[in-house]
Amino acid sequence: MSVNTDRYQTAAARYFEAWNATGPEALGKAVAEAWAPEGGYTDPLADVCGHAQITAVIAAAHEQFPGFVFRPLGAVDGHHDTARFGWELVNEADGSAPVAGFDVVTLNEEGRIRQVLGFLDRVPAGS
């Protein structure tokens, strides 16, 4: 059981590293380490596939929320090739977290993400 738990924890850690990477080179590298080449990302605002498109979605989030970081919210849970976890987008200056959500990820044999299905639980008014 700990082997699978470690697998889910590692995948989630790489996922958060990608979402928090800054600069084009670091972001591209982090996305490549977290996602399989054909990996996808789908949430209410995006439906993309491949490293370049995933990188663009993450870069756009950084532009929309400068000075914010993605942090895990609760524990990572999983079974088979599927993991789930909550997250929030935290303002590093004041600690506020205007955005929160929940993601379900499927992993390939190497533990890299094949697909993310994201849900937004809390968004700022007017978004």
Side-chain angles (χ1 to χ4, degrees):
M1 178 128 165
S2 65
V3 171
N4 283 341
T5 301
D6 290 346
R7 182 174 186 231
Y8 308 134
Q9 295 287 344
T10 298
R14 287 182 184 152
Y15 179 80
F16 284 107
E17 286 174 22
W19 277 96
N20 290 322
T22 57
E25 187 175 322
L27 176 54
K29 181 180 177 188
V31 166
E33 289 176 0
W35 270 269
E38 70 285 356
Y41 178 85
T42 302
D43 72 12
L45 306 173
D47 186 9
V48 298
C49 186
H51 291 171
Q53 291 182 357
I54 293 166
T55 298
V57 166
I58 294 172
H62 285 270
E63 287 178 22
Q64 185 176 2
F65 295 97
F68 284 75
V69 294
F70 285 86
R71 298 228 171 101
L73 189 60
V76 177
D77 185 24
H79 61 82
H80 296 85
D81 289 332
T82 305
R84 64 180 180 163
F85 49 85
W87 54 267
E88 59 186 355
L89 185 61
V90 179
N91 183 323
E92 290 187 295
D94 66 12
S96 64
V99 182
F102 189 89
D103 291 347
V104 177
V105 301
T106 55
L107 305 175
N108 68 11
E109 304 78 32
E110 300 169 346
R112 291 167 68 197
I113 298 169
R114 284 189 305 196
Q115 182 64 44
V116 175
L117 298 176
F119 297 85
L120 299 174
D121 298 326
R122 181 174 64 234
V123 295
S127 292

